Amino acid sequence: MIQVTTRESGRSMTGPATVWNSHREARLRPEHAHRYPGLHAEEWVSAATLADRVLAGALLRGRDTSLWVRLLPDEHFEFRGGGWRGDPEGHARSRREDR
């Protein structure tokens, strides 16, 4: 069991929970930099921010932006962080699409 106190209400809640370190980062692999104009290869940034930038670039270039297309494919990007805080081995959290 875990006890959580919300900032908004100050109320305390107790129950089963999974605690995640939400700061997941990504960086563009240098061999794929030509596919993403305006992004800097090998620079670690928030994965959410990077996904926003990739989506904006795709929209501006008229590319496929359907929700079924993964914006940050593993072949083009590396990821770190975002693991469960209690995991002694530091396993990374799965992608949102994998949950």
Side-chain angles (χ1 to χ4, degrees):
M1 295 289 181
I2 189 169
Q3 183 171 351
V4 178
T5 303
T6 62
R7 288 185 196 171
E8 295 80 22
S9 67
R11 292 188 332 191
S12 190
M13 298 177 286
T14 303
T18 301
V19 180
W20 294 100
N21 175 357
S22 63
H23 191 71
R24 186 163 169 88
E25 294 181 314
R27 70 178 175 181
L28 176 60
R29 297 175 190 268
E31 63 270 23
H32 295 285
H34 66 282
R35 299 173 187 265
Y36 302 91
L39 297 184
H40 302 287
E42 298 192 26
E43 176 185 353
W44 288 105
V45 294
S46 160
T49 299
L50 193 55
D52 287 346
R53 290 178 186 167
V54 169
L55 178 59
L59 287 169
L60 289 171
R61 288 187 292 286
R63 300 252 169 91
D64 182 7
T65 58
S66 72
L67 294 176
W68 302 112
V69 174
R70 182 153 185 240
L71 290 173
L72 306 177
D74 289 334
E75 302 81 33
H76 300 182
F77 295 89
E78 293 180 77
F79 300 91
R80 71 178 181 189
W84 176 55
R85 289 183 188 157
D87 185 354
E89 297 182 26
H91 292 114
R93 172 177 59 177
S94 64
R95 295 185 307 256
R96 177 175 43 210
E97 298 91 4
D98 293 342
R99 285 189 235 154

